[in-house]
Structures are given as structure tokens and as C-alpha cells.
Amino acid sequence: VSLVGGGSIPKPGEVSLGYALLAAMRSRPAWVDVPVIMLTSMGNEQNVLRGLRNGADDYLVKPFRPAELVARIRKLLGRSA
């Protein structure tokens, strides 16, 4: 599982580091099937949908509880949480 942080809040017209990294990962065959959880403080609906539509398997907004992150990782890896 790859954990992608959102980076700093982008200015209008800029692409955040997290979205750019996600796009780069998904454009490479070796990374297409690697589960990705975005960890970010950008939790509005538009950002969540953007991350999921662009290939993130899950999206977790900071602050989050460590147990929730572990449960989501286990789910993506096919283990019981």
C-alpha cells in the first residue's frame, strides 16, 4: 500500500504534490495495481472525489486515528481489520 500525502494547499491553478504523485504513479504500469490511500488535510467533497476519480483507492482526512488507518490498509490488502 502506498500512502500519498496531499502536500501543501495549492494556490488556484496549481496541482498539489499528492495529486501529481498519484498521476505519475498511475501512469506507470508497475504502479497501476498498487493500492493507494491519500492522507491529506484537504477534506472537502471536491478534493475527496478528485482523489478517488484519479486512482486513489481510499482517502483519509487528517487528523485521523491510527487504528482507522490500519483498518483501511488491512482492507486494501484483503485482511480482516
Short mmCIF file of all heavy atoms in Angstrom, two decimals:
data_model
loop_
_atom_site.label_atom_id
_atom_site.label_comp_id
_atom_site.label_asym_id
_atom_site.label_seq_id
_atom_site.Cartn_x
_atom_site.Cartn_y
_atom_site.Cartn_z
N VAL A 1 0.86 -1.17 0.00
CA VAL A 1 0.00 0.00 0.00
C VAL A 1 0.89 1.22 0.00
O VAL A 1 1.82 1.33 0.78
CB VAL A 1 -0.92 0.03 1.24
CG1 VAL A 1 -1.70 1.31 1.30
CG2 VAL A 1 -1.85 -1.15 1.26
N SER A 2 0.59 2.14 -0.87
CA SER A 2 1.31 3.40 -0.91
C SER A 2 0.46 4.47 -0.25
O SER A 2 -0.72 4.58 -0.53
CB SER A 2 1.61 3.78 -2.36
OG SER A 2 2.27 5.01 -2.41
N LEU A 3 1.07 5.25 0.63
CA LEU A 3 0.37 6.34 1.31
C LEU A 3 0.84 7.64 0.68
O LEU A 3 2.01 7.97 0.73
CB LEU A 3 0.66 6.31 2.80
CG LEU A 3 0.32 5.01 3.52
CD1 LEU A 3 0.77 5.07 4.96
CD2 LEU A 3 -1.17 4.74 3.44
N VAL A 4 -0.08 8.36 0.07
CA VAL A 4 0.25 9.59 -0.63
C VAL A 4 -0.29 10.76 0.16
O VAL A 4 -1.50 10.85 0.38
CB VAL A 4 -0.35 9.60 -2.05
CG1 VAL A 4 -0.07 10.91 -2.74
CG2 VAL A 4 0.19 8.44 -2.87
N GLY A 5 0.60 11.67 0.57
CA GLY A 5 0.17 12.87 1.27
C GLY A 5 -0.21 13.95 0.28
O GLY A 5 0.28 13.98 -0.84
N GLY A 6 -1.08 14.83 0.70
CA GLY A 6 -1.56 15.88 -0.18
C GLY A 6 -0.58 17.03 -0.37
O GLY A 6 -0.73 17.82 -1.27
N GLY A 7 0.44 17.11 0.46
CA GLY A 7 1.38 18.21 0.36
C GLY A 7 0.74 19.49 0.86
O GLY A 7 -0.24 19.48 1.58
N SER A 8 1.28 20.62 0.47
CA SER A 8 0.73 21.90 0.91
C SER A 8 -0.53 22.22 0.12
O SER A 8 -0.78 21.67 -0.95
CB SER A 8 1.76 23.00 0.73
OG SER A 8 2.10 23.11 -0.64
N ILE A 9 -1.33 23.13 0.66
CA ILE A 9 -2.55 23.53 -0.03
C ILE A 9 -2.16 24.34 -1.26
O ILE A 9 -1.45 25.35 -1.16
CB ILE A 9 -3.45 24.35 0.91
CG1 ILE A 9 -3.89 23.48 2.09
CG2 ILE A 9 -4.65 24.91 0.16
CD1 ILE A 9 -4.66 24.20 3.15
N PRO A 10 -2.60 23.89 -2.45
CA PRO A 10 -2.20 24.59 -3.68
C PRO A 10 -2.93 25.91 -3.86
O PRO A 10 -4.04 26.09 -3.38
CB PRO A 10 -2.60 23.60 -4.77
CG PRO A 10 -3.71 22.81 -4.18
CD PRO A 10 -3.41 22.72 -2.70
N LYS A 11 -2.30 26.82 -4.55
CA LYS A 11 -2.93 28.07 -4.93
C LYS A 11 -3.84 27.79 -6.14
O LYS A 11 -3.67 26.78 -6.82
CB LYS A 11 -1.86 29.10 -5.29
CG LYS A 11 -0.98 29.46 -4.12
CD LYS A 11 0.12 30.40 -4.55
CE LYS A 11 1.05 30.64 -3.36
NZ LYS A 11 2.24 31.36 -3.73
N PRO A 12 -4.80 28.65 -6.42
CA PRO A 12 -5.65 28.43 -7.59
C PRO A 12 -4.82 28.21 -8.85
O PRO A 12 -3.87 28.92 -9.12
CB PRO A 12 -6.48 29.72 -7.68
CG PRO A 12 -6.51 30.23 -6.28
CD PRO A 12 -5.16 29.85 -5.69
N GLY A 13 -5.17 27.16 -9.60
CA GLY A 13 -4.45 26.85 -10.84
C GLY A 13 -3.28 25.90 -10.65
O GLY A 13 -2.74 25.39 -11.62
N GLU A 14 -2.87 25.66 -9.41
CA GLU A 14 -1.76 24.75 -9.14
C GLU A 14 -2.28 23.35 -8.86
O GLU A 14 -3.41 23.16 -8.46
CB GLU A 14 -0.97 25.20 -7.90
CG GLU A 14 -0.18 26.45 -8.09
CD GLU A 14 0.64 26.80 -6.85
OE1 GLU A 14 0.31 26.33 -5.74
OE2 GLU A 14 1.60 27.54 -6.99
N VAL A 15 -1.42 22.38 -9.10
CA VAL A 15 -1.75 20.99 -8.78
C VAL A 15 -0.97 20.63 -7.53
O VAL A 15 0.22 20.90 -7.44
CB VAL A 15 -1.35 20.06 -9.94
CG1 VAL A 15 -1.57 18.61 -9.57
CG2 VAL A 15 -2.12 20.42 -11.20
N SER A 16 -1.64 20.03 -6.54
CA SER A 16 -0.93 19.67 -5.32
C SER A 16 0.04 18.54 -5.59
O SER A 16 -0.12 17.76 -6.53
CB SER A 16 -1.91 19.27 -4.22
OG SER A 16 -2.40 17.97 -4.45
N LEU A 17 1.03 18.43 -4.76
CA LEU A 17 2.04 17.38 -4.88
C LEU A 17 1.40 15.99 -4.83
O LEU A 17 1.77 15.10 -5.59
CB LEU A 17 3.08 17.53 -3.77
CG LEU A 17 4.17 16.47 -3.72
CD1 LEU A 17 4.99 16.48 -5.01
CD2 LEU A 17 5.07 16.68 -2.53
N GLY A 18 0.42 15.80 -3.96
CA GLY A 18 -0.23 14.50 -3.83
C GLY A 18 -0.92 14.06 -5.10
O GLY A 18 -0.80 12.92 -5.53
N TYR A 19 -1.67 14.96 -5.74
CA TYR A 19 -2.35 14.63 -6.99
C TYR A 19 -1.35 14.37 -8.10
O TYR A 19 -1.53 13.47 -8.93
CB TYR A 19 -3.32 15.73 -7.41
CG TYR A 19 -4.50 15.88 -6.47
CD1 TYR A 19 -4.75 17.10 -5.85
CD2 TYR A 19 -5.35 14.82 -6.20
CE1 TYR A 19 -5.83 17.26 -5.00
CE2 TYR A 19 -6.43 14.97 -5.35
CZ TYR A 19 -6.66 16.19 -4.75
OH TYR A 19 -7.72 16.34 -3.90
N ALA A 20 -0.28 15.15 -8.15
CA ALA A 20 0.75 14.96 -9.17
C ALA A 20 1.44 13.60 -8.98
O ALA A 20 1.69 12.88 -9.95
CB ALA A 20 1.78 16.10 -9.12
N LEU A 21 1.74 13.25 -7.74
CA LEU A 21 2.36 11.97 -7.46
C LEU A 21 1.43 10.82 -7.82
O LEU A 21 1.84 9.83 -8.43
CB LEU A 21 2.76 11.88 -5.99
CG LEU A 21 3.41 10.57 -5.53
CD1 LEU A 21 4.67 10.26 -6.34
CD2 LEU A 21 3.72 10.63 -4.05
N LEU A 22 0.15 10.94 -7.49
CA LEU A 22 -0.83 9.92 -7.83
C LEU A 22 -0.90 9.74 -9.35
O LEU A 22 -0.90 8.61 -9.85
CB LEU A 22 -2.20 10.30 -7.27
CG LEU A 22 -3.36 9.35 -7.57
CD1 LEU A 22 -3.09 7.95 -7.00
CD2 LEU A 22 -4.66 9.92 -7.03
N ALA A 23 -0.95 10.83 -10.10
CA ALA A 23 -0.99 10.74 -11.56
C ALA A 23 0.26 10.06 -12.11
O ALA A 23 0.17 9.22 -13.01
CB ALA A 23 -1.16 12.13 -12.16
N ALA A 24 1.41 10.42 -11.56
CA ALA A 24 2.66 9.79 -12.01
C ALA A 24 2.68 8.30 -11.72
O ALA A 24 3.10 7.49 -12.56
CB ALA A 24 3.85 10.48 -11.35
N MET A 25 2.20 7.92 -10.54
CA MET A 25 2.17 6.50 -10.18
C MET A 25 1.23 5.74 -11.10
O MET A 25 1.57 4.66 -11.60
CB MET A 25 1.70 6.33 -8.73
CG MET A 25 2.70 6.78 -7.70
SD MET A 25 2.01 6.76 -6.02
CE MET A 25 1.71 5.01 -5.81
N ARG A 26 0.05 6.27 -11.33
CA ARG A 26 -0.96 5.57 -12.14
C ARG A 26 -0.59 5.53 -13.62
O ARG A 26 -1.13 4.73 -14.37
CB ARG A 26 -2.34 6.19 -11.95
CG ARG A 26 -2.90 5.98 -10.55
CD ARG A 26 -2.93 4.51 -10.20
NE ARG A 26 -3.63 4.27 -8.94
CZ ARG A 26 -3.29 3.32 -8.10
NH1 ARG A 26 -2.27 2.52 -8.36
NH2 ARG A 26 -3.97 3.12 -7.00
N SER A 27 0.35 6.36 -14.06
CA SER A 27 0.77 6.35 -15.45
C SER A 27 1.85 5.31 -15.74
O SER A 27 2.20 5.09 -16.89
CB SER A 27 1.27 7.74 -15.87
OG SER A 27 2.52 8.02 -15.25
N ARG A 28 2.35 4.68 -14.69
CA ARG A 28 3.41 3.67 -14.85
C ARG A 28 2.84 2.28 -14.60
O ARG A 28 2.24 2.02 -13.56
CB ARG A 28 4.55 3.96 -13.88
CG ARG A 28 5.31 5.22 -14.27
CD ARG A 28 6.33 5.61 -13.23
NE ARG A 28 7.20 6.68 -13.66
CZ ARG A 28 6.83 7.95 -13.81
NH1 ARG A 28 5.59 8.31 -13.60
NH2 ARG A 28 7.70 8.86 -14.18
N PRO A 29 3.03 1.36 -15.57
CA PRO A 29 2.46 0.02 -15.44
C PRO A 29 2.81 -0.69 -14.13
O PRO A 29 1.97 -1.38 -13.56
CB PRO A 29 3.04 -0.73 -16.63
CG PRO A 29 3.32 0.35 -17.64
CD PRO A 29 3.73 1.55 -16.83
N ALA A 30 4.00 -0.49 -13.62
CA ALA A 30 4.41 -1.18 -12.39
C ALA A 30 3.63 -0.71 -11.17
O ALA A 30 3.56 -1.42 -10.16
CB ALA A 30 5.91 -0.97 -12.16
N TRP A 31 3.03 0.47 -11.24
CA TRP A 31 2.32 1.04 -10.09
C TRP A 31 0.80 1.00 -10.22
O TRP A 31 0.08 1.38 -9.30
CB TRP A 31 2.76 2.50 -9.88
CG TRP A 31 4.12 2.60 -9.29
CD1 TRP A 31 5.29 2.68 -9.98
CD2 TRP A 31 4.47 2.62 -7.92
NE1 TRP A 31 6.34 2.75 -9.10
CE2 TRP A 31 5.86 2.71 -7.82
CE3 TRP A 31 3.72 2.56 -6.75
CZ2 TRP A 31 6.53 2.76 -6.61
CZ3 TRP A 31 4.38 2.61 -5.53
CH2 TRP A 31 5.77 2.71 -5.48
N VAL A 32 0.29 0.55 -11.36
CA VAL A 32 -1.15 0.60 -11.62
C VAL A 32 -1.95 -0.18 -10.57
O VAL A 32 -3.01 0.25 -10.14
CB VAL A 32 -1.46 0.08 -13.04
CG1 VAL A 32 -2.94 -0.13 -13.24
CG2 VAL A 32 -0.93 1.06 -14.08
N ASP A 33 -1.45 -1.33 -10.14
CA ASP A 33 -2.20 -2.18 -9.22
C ASP A 33 -1.81 -1.99 -7.75
O ASP A 33 -2.33 -2.70 -6.89
CB ASP A 33 -2.03 -3.65 -9.61
CG ASP A 33 -2.67 -3.94 -10.96
OD1 ASP A 33 -3.73 -3.36 -11.25
OD2 ASP A 33 -2.10 -4.75 -11.72
N VAL A 34 -0.94 -1.05 -7.45
CA VAL A 34 -0.54 -0.80 -6.06
C VAL A 34 -1.64 0.02 -5.39
O VAL A 34 -2.00 1.10 -5.87
CB VAL A 34 0.80 -0.04 -5.99
CG1 VAL A 34 1.13 0.34 -4.55
CG2 VAL A 34 1.92 -0.88 -6.60
N PRO A 35 -2.21 -0.49 -4.29
CA PRO A 35 -3.25 0.28 -3.59
C PRO A 35 -2.69 1.59 -3.05
O PRO A 35 -1.58 1.64 -2.54
CB PRO A 35 -3.66 -0.63 -2.44
CG PRO A 35 -3.20 -2.00 -2.81
CD PRO A 35 -1.98 -1.79 -3.66
N VAL A 36 -3.48 2.65 -3.18
CA VAL A 36 -3.06 3.99 -2.74
C VAL A 36 -4.11 4.56 -1.80
O VAL A 36 -5.30 4.58 -2.11
CB VAL A 36 -2.87 4.94 -3.93
CG1 VAL A 36 -2.60 6.36 -3.46
CG2 VAL A 36 -1.77 4.45 -4.85
N ILE A 37 -3.65 5.03 -0.64
CA ILE A 37 -4.50 5.77 0.28
C ILE A 37 -3.96 7.19 0.34
O ILE A 37 -2.78 7.39 0.68
CB ILE A 37 -4.49 5.16 1.70
CG1 ILE A 37 -4.98 3.71 1.67
CG2 ILE A 37 -5.34 6.01 2.64
CD1 ILE A 37 -4.88 3.01 3.02
N MET A 38 -4.78 8.16 0.03
CA MET A 38 -4.35 9.55 0.14
C MET A 38 -4.58 10.01 1.57
O MET A 38 -5.66 9.83 2.12
CB MET A 38 -5.12 10.43 -0.84
CG MET A 38 -4.76 10.13 -2.29
SD MET A 38 -5.32 11.39 -3.45
CE MET A 38 -4.15 12.71 -3.11
N LEU A 39 -3.55 10.59 2.17
CA LEU A 39 -3.61 11.15 3.52
C LEU A 39 -3.44 12.66 3.39
O LEU A 39 -2.37 13.12 3.00
CB LEU A 39 -2.50 10.57 4.40
CG LEU A 39 -2.41 9.06 4.48
CD1 LEU A 39 -1.21 8.65 5.32
CD2 LEU A 39 -3.68 8.48 5.04
N THR A 40 -4.48 13.41 3.69
CA THR A 40 -4.44 14.84 3.41
C THR A 40 -5.33 15.63 4.36
O THR A 40 -6.24 15.07 4.96
CB THR A 40 -4.87 15.10 1.94
OG1 THR A 40 -4.87 16.50 1.68
CG2 THR A 40 -6.23 14.52 1.64
N SER A 41 -5.06 16.91 4.47
CA SER A 41 -5.92 17.79 5.25
C SER A 41 -7.01 18.41 4.37
O SER A 41 -7.89 19.08 4.87
CB SER A 41 -5.09 18.90 5.89
OG SER A 41 -4.47 19.68 4.89
N MET A 42 -6.96 18.15 3.08
CA MET A 42 -7.93 18.71 2.14
C MET A 42 -9.14 17.79 2.06
O MET A 42 -9.20 16.88 1.24
CB MET A 42 -7.29 18.93 0.77
CG MET A 42 -6.11 19.88 0.83
SD MET A 42 -5.38 20.37 -0.73
CE MET A 42 -5.15 18.86 -1.60
N GLY A 43 -10.12 18.01 2.96
CA GLY A 43 -11.22 17.08 3.11
C GLY A 43 -12.55 17.50 2.53
O GLY A 43 -13.55 16.85 2.79
N ASN A 44 -12.57 18.56 1.72
CA ASN A 44 -13.87 18.90 1.16
C ASN A 44 -14.25 17.89 0.07
O ASN A 44 -13.41 17.18 -0.46
CB ASN A 44 -13.93 20.35 0.66
CG ASN A 44 -13.07 20.61 -0.56
OD1 ASN A 44 -13.04 19.82 -1.50
ND2 ASN A 44 -12.35 21.71 -0.56
N GLU A 45 -15.52 17.83 -0.23
CA GLU A 45 -16.04 16.81 -1.15
C GLU A 45 -15.34 16.83 -2.51
O GLU A 45 -15.02 15.79 -3.08
CB GLU A 45 -17.55 16.99 -1.34
CG GLU A 45 -18.17 15.93 -2.23
CD GLU A 45 -19.67 16.12 -2.39
OE1 GLU A 45 -20.18 17.21 -2.09
OE2 GLU A 45 -20.30 15.16 -2.84
N GLN A 46 -15.06 18.01 -3.02
CA GLN A 46 -14.40 18.15 -4.32
C GLN A 46 -13.03 17.47 -4.32
O GLN A 46 -12.67 16.76 -5.26
CB GLN A 46 -14.26 19.62 -4.69
CG GLN A 46 -13.59 19.86 -6.01
CD GLN A 46 -13.43 21.35 -6.32
OE1 GLN A 46 -13.87 22.21 -5.56
NE2 GLN A 46 -12.81 21.65 -7.43
N ASN A 47 -12.25 17.66 -3.26
CA ASN A 47 -10.92 17.06 -3.18
C ASN A 47 -10.99 15.55 -3.02
O ASN A 47 -10.21 14.82 -3.63
CB ASN A 47 -10.12 17.68 -2.03
CG ASN A 47 -9.71 19.09 -2.34
OD1 ASN A 47 -9.35 19.42 -3.45
ND2 ASN A 47 -9.78 19.95 -1.33
N VAL A 48 -11.92 15.07 -2.19
CA VAL A 48 -12.08 13.63 -1.99
C VAL A 48 -12.44 12.97 -3.32
O VAL A 48 -11.82 11.97 -3.73
CB VAL A 48 -13.15 13.33 -0.92
CG1 VAL A 48 -13.42 11.84 -0.85
CG2 VAL A 48 -12.72 13.87 0.44
N LEU A 49 -13.43 13.52 -4.01
CA LEU A 49 -13.83 12.95 -5.29
C LEU A 49 -12.72 13.01 -6.32
O LEU A 49 -12.53 12.06 -7.09
CB LEU A 49 -15.08 13.66 -5.81
CG LEU A 49 -16.35 13.42 -5.00
CD1 LEU A 49 -17.49 14.28 -5.53
CD2 LEU A 49 -16.73 11.95 -4.99
N ARG A 50 -11.96 14.08 -6.33
CA ARG A 50 -10.83 14.21 -7.27
C ARG A 50 -9.81 13.10 -7.02
O ARG A 50 -9.33 12.48 -7.96
CB ARG A 50 -10.19 15.58 -7.12
CG ARG A 50 -9.04 15.80 -8.06
CD ARG A 50 -8.46 17.18 -7.88
NE ARG A 50 -7.33 17.38 -8.76
CZ ARG A 50 -6.47 18.36 -8.64
NH1 ARG A 50 -6.63 19.28 -7.72
NH2 ARG A 50 -5.46 18.46 -9.46
N GLY A 51 -9.48 12.88 -5.76
CA GLY A 51 -8.51 11.83 -5.44
C GLY A 51 -9.02 10.46 -5.86
O GLY A 51 -8.29 9.67 -6.48
N LEU A 52 -10.27 10.15 -5.54
CA LEU A 52 -10.83 8.84 -5.88
C LEU A 52 -10.97 8.67 -7.38
O LEU A 52 -10.69 7.60 -7.92
CB LEU A 52 -12.16 8.65 -5.17
CG LEU A 52 -12.08 8.59 -3.64
CD1 LEU A 52 -13.48 8.59 -3.03
CD2 LEU A 52 -11.28 7.38 -3.17
N ARG A 53 -11.40 9.70 -8.08
CA ARG A 53 -11.55 9.62 -9.54
C ARG A 53 -10.22 9.49 -10.26
O ARG A 53 -10.17 8.98 -11.37
CB ARG A 53 -12.30 10.85 -10.06
CG ARG A 53 -13.76 10.84 -9.71
CD ARG A 53 -14.46 12.08 -10.22
NE ARG A 53 -15.86 12.04 -9.87
CZ ARG A 53 -16.60 13.11 -9.61
NH1 ARG A 53 -16.06 14.32 -9.68
NH2 ARG A 53 -17.87 12.98 -9.30
N ASN A 54 -9.16 9.98 -9.63
CA ASN A 54 -7.84 9.93 -10.26
C ASN A 54 -7.02 8.71 -9.86
O ASN A 54 -5.83 8.66 -10.14
CB ASN A 54 -7.08 11.22 -10.00
CG ASN A 54 -7.64 12.36 -10.83
OD1 ASN A 54 -7.61 12.31 -12.05
ND2 ASN A 54 -8.18 13.37 -10.18
N GLY A 55 -7.66 7.76 -9.18
CA GLY A 55 -6.97 6.50 -8.95
C GLY A 55 -6.66 6.13 -7.52
O GLY A 55 -6.12 5.06 -7.28
N ALA A 56 -6.97 6.99 -6.56
CA ALA A 56 -6.75 6.61 -5.16
C ALA A 56 -7.77 5.54 -4.78
O ALA A 56 -8.93 5.59 -5.20
CB ALA A 56 -6.90 7.82 -4.24
N ASP A 57 -7.34 4.58 -4.02
CA ASP A 57 -8.24 3.51 -3.56
C ASP A 57 -9.00 3.92 -2.30
O ASP A 57 -10.06 3.37 -2.02
CB ASP A 57 -7.44 2.23 -3.30
CG ASP A 57 -6.83 1.71 -4.58
OD1 ASP A 57 -7.58 1.16 -5.40
OD2 ASP A 57 -5.61 1.88 -4.77
N ASP A 58 -8.44 4.86 -1.57
CA ASP A 58 -9.09 5.36 -0.36
C ASP A 58 -8.56 6.76 -0.11
O ASP A 58 -7.53 7.17 -0.67
CB ASP A 58 -8.80 4.44 0.83
CG ASP A 58 -9.87 4.50 1.91
OD1 ASP A 58 -10.66 5.46 1.93
OD2 ASP A 58 -9.91 3.58 2.73
N TYR A 59 -9.25 7.50 0.74
CA TYR A 59 -8.91 8.90 1.01
C TYR A 59 -9.19 9.14 2.48
O TYR A 59 -10.32 8.96 2.93
CB TYR A 59 -9.80 9.79 0.13
CG TYR A 59 -9.37 11.23 0.00
CD1 TYR A 59 -8.73 11.67 -1.15
CD2 TYR A 59 -9.64 12.16 0.99
CE1 TYR A 59 -8.37 12.99 -1.31
CE2 TYR A 59 -9.28 13.49 0.85
CZ TYR A 59 -8.64 13.89 -0.31
OH TYR A 59 -8.27 15.21 -0.47
N LEU A 60 -8.18 9.52 3.22
CA LEU A 60 -8.31 9.70 4.66
C LEU A 60 -7.89 11.13 5.01
O LEU A 60 -6.81 11.58 4.64
CB LEU A 60 -7.44 8.68 5.39
CG LEU A 60 -7.65 8.45 6.86
CD1 LEU A 60 -9.10 8.11 7.17
CD2 LEU A 60 -6.75 7.32 7.34
N VAL A 61 -8.78 11.84 5.72
CA VAL A 61 -8.54 13.24 6.03
C VAL A 61 -7.89 13.37 7.41
O VAL A 61 -8.32 12.74 8.37
CB VAL A 61 -9.88 14.02 5.99
CG1 VAL A 61 -9.66 15.48 6.36
CG2 VAL A 61 -10.51 13.91 4.61
N LYS A 62 -6.84 14.20 7.47
CA LYS A 62 -6.16 14.49 8.73
C LYS A 62 -7.00 15.45 9.55
O LYS A 62 -7.64 16.33 8.97
CB LYS A 62 -4.80 15.14 8.47
CG LYS A 62 -3.84 14.30 7.67
CD LYS A 62 -2.61 15.14 7.37
CE LYS A 62 -1.74 14.50 6.31
NZ LYS A 62 -0.64 15.38 5.92
N PRO A 63 -7.00 15.36 10.84
CA PRO A 63 -6.35 14.32 11.64
C PRO A 63 -7.20 13.04 11.59
O PRO A 63 -8.42 13.10 11.48
CB PRO A 63 -6.33 14.90 13.06
CG PRO A 63 -7.51 15.82 13.10
CD PRO A 63 -7.66 16.36 11.69
N PHE A 64 -6.53 11.92 11.66
CA PHE A 64 -7.23 10.64 11.67
C PHE A 64 -6.66 9.79 12.79
O PHE A 64 -5.58 10.06 13.31
CB PHE A 64 -7.09 9.92 10.32
CG PHE A 64 -5.66 9.75 9.89
CD1 PHE A 64 -4.89 8.69 10.34
CD2 PHE A 64 -5.07 10.66 9.03
CE1 PHE A 64 -3.57 8.54 9.95
CE2 PHE A 64 -3.75 10.52 8.63
CZ PHE A 64 -3.00 9.45 9.09
N ARG A 65 -7.40 8.78 13.17
CA ARG A 65 -6.95 7.88 14.23
C ARG A 65 -6.09 6.78 13.61
O ARG A 65 -6.45 6.22 12.57
CB ARG A 65 -8.15 7.27 14.94
CG ARG A 65 -8.98 8.31 15.71
CD ARG A 65 -10.20 7.72 16.39
NE ARG A 65 -11.06 6.94 15.49
CZ ARG A 65 -12.02 7.45 14.71
NH1 ARG A 65 -12.22 8.76 14.71
NH2 ARG A 65 -12.77 6.68 13.96
N PRO A 66 -4.95 6.46 14.22
CA PRO A 66 -4.08 5.42 13.68
C PRO A 66 -4.80 4.08 13.46
O PRO A 66 -4.55 3.40 12.46
CB PRO A 66 -2.98 5.28 14.73
CG PRO A 66 -2.93 6.63 15.38
CD PRO A 66 -4.35 7.11 15.40
N ALA A 67 -5.72 3.73 14.35
CA ALA A 67 -6.45 2.47 14.20
C ALA A 67 -7.28 2.47 12.92
O ALA A 67 -7.43 1.43 12.26
CB ALA A 67 -7.33 2.21 15.41
N GLU A 68 -7.82 3.62 12.55
CA GLU A 68 -8.60 3.71 11.32
C GLU A 68 -7.70 3.51 10.10
O GLU A 68 -8.06 2.81 9.15
CB GLU A 68 -9.29 5.07 11.23
CG GLU A 68 -10.15 5.21 9.99
CD GLU A 68 -10.86 6.55 9.89
OE1 GLU A 68 -10.65 7.43 10.75
OE2 GLU A 68 -11.64 6.70 8.94
N LEU A 69 -6.50 4.09 10.12
CA LEU A 69 -5.56 3.89 9.02
C LEU A 69 -5.19 2.42 8.89
O LEU A 69 -5.19 1.87 7.79
CB LEU A 69 -4.31 4.75 9.22
CG LEU A 69 -3.19 4.56 8.19
CD1 LEU A 69 -3.68 4.87 6.78
CD2 LEU A 69 -1.99 5.43 8.56
N VAL A 70 -4.89 1.78 10.01
CA VAL A 70 -4.54 0.35 9.99
C VAL A 70 -5.69 -0.47 9.42
O VAL A 70 -5.48 -1.36 8.58
CB VAL A 70 -4.13 -0.14 11.40
CG1 VAL A 70 -4.00 -1.65 11.43
CG2 VAL A 70 -2.83 0.52 11.83
N ALA A 71 -6.92 -0.18 9.81
CA ALA A 71 -8.08 -0.91 9.31
C ALA A 71 -8.23 -0.73 7.80
O ALA A 71 -8.52 -1.69 7.08
CB ALA A 71 -9.34 -0.45 10.03
N ARG A 72 -8.02 0.48 7.31
CA ARG A 72 -8.14 0.73 5.88
C ARG A 72 -7.03 0.04 5.09
O ARG A 72 -7.27 -0.49 4.00
CB ARG A 72 -8.15 2.23 5.60
CG ARG A 72 -9.43 2.89 6.08
CD ARG A 72 -9.36 4.40 5.94
NE ARG A 72 -10.51 5.05 6.49
CZ ARG A 72 -11.42 5.72 5.77
NH1 ARG A 72 -11.32 5.78 4.46
NH2 ARG A 72 -12.43 6.29 6.36
N ILE A 73 -5.83 0.02 5.64
CA ILE A 73 -4.73 -0.70 4.98
C ILE A 73 -5.03 -2.19 4.92
O ILE A 73 -4.88 -2.83 3.88
CB ILE A 73 -3.39 -0.43 5.71
CG1 ILE A 73 -2.96 1.02 5.50
CG2 ILE A 73 -2.31 -1.39 5.20
CD1 ILE A 73 -1.78 1.44 6.37
N ARG A 74 -5.48 -2.73 6.03
CA ARG A 74 -5.82 -4.16 6.05
C ARG A 74 -6.92 -4.49 5.05
O ARG A 74 -6.87 -5.52 4.38
CB ARG A 74 -6.22 -4.59 7.46
CG ARG A 74 -5.02 -4.68 8.39
CD ARG A 74 -5.43 -5.18 9.74
NE ARG A 74 -4.22 -5.37 10.56
CZ ARG A 74 -4.23 -5.43 11.87
NH1 ARG A 74 -5.37 -5.34 12.54
NH2 ARG A 74 -3.11 -5.61 12.53
N LYS A 75 -7.90 -3.63 4.95
CA LYS A 75 -8.98 -3.85 4.00
C LYS A 75 -8.44 -3.90 2.57
O LYS A 75 -8.80 -4.77 1.78
CB LYS A 75 -10.04 -2.75 4.13
CG LYS A 75 -11.18 -2.91 3.16
CD LYS A 75 -12.17 -1.79 3.31
CE LYS A 75 -13.25 -1.93 2.23
NZ LYS A 75 -14.10 -0.76 2.16
N LEU A 76 -7.57 -2.94 2.25
CA LEU A 76 -7.00 -2.92 0.91
C LEU A 76 -6.12 -4.13 0.62
O LEU A 76 -6.00 -4.57 -0.51
CB LEU A 76 -6.20 -1.63 0.68
CG LEU A 76 -7.02 -0.38 0.44
CD1 LEU A 76 -6.13 0.84 0.36
CD2 LEU A 76 -7.85 -0.53 -0.84
N LEU A 77 -5.51 -4.65 1.65
CA LEU A 77 -4.64 -5.82 1.48
C LEU A 77 -5.42 -7.13 1.57
O LEU A 77 -4.85 -8.20 1.43
CB LEU A 77 -3.52 -5.81 2.52
CG LEU A 77 -2.53 -4.65 2.38
CD1 LEU A 77 -1.51 -4.69 3.50
CD2 LEU A 77 -1.84 -4.70 1.02
N GLY A 78 -6.73 -7.03 1.82
CA GLY A 78 -7.56 -8.21 1.86
C GLY A 78 -7.54 -9.00 3.15
O GLY A 78 -7.90 -10.16 3.20
N ARG A 79 -7.14 -8.34 4.23
CA ARG A 79 -7.11 -8.97 5.54
C ARG A 79 -8.26 -8.43 6.39
O ARG A 79 -8.74 -7.33 6.15
CB ARG A 79 -5.80 -8.67 6.27
CG ARG A 79 -4.59 -9.14 5.53
CD ARG A 79 -3.36 -8.78 6.32
NE ARG A 79 -2.18 -8.97 5.50
CZ ARG A 79 -1.06 -8.35 5.69
NH1 ARG A 79 -0.94 -7.47 6.66
NH2 ARG A 79 -0.02 -8.57 4.91
N SER A 80 -8.65 -9.17 7.38
CA SER A 80 -9.69 -8.66 8.29
C SER A 80 -9.09 -7.58 9.18
O SER A 80 -7.96 -7.68 9.62
CB SER A 80 -10.27 -9.79 9.14
OG SER A 80 -9.26 -10.37 9.93
N ALA A 81 -9.87 -6.54 9.42
CA ALA A 81 -9.37 -5.41 10.21
C ALA A 81 -9.54 -5.65 11.68
O ALA A 81 -10.44 -6.20 12.16
CB ALA A 81 -10.11 -4.14 9.80
#
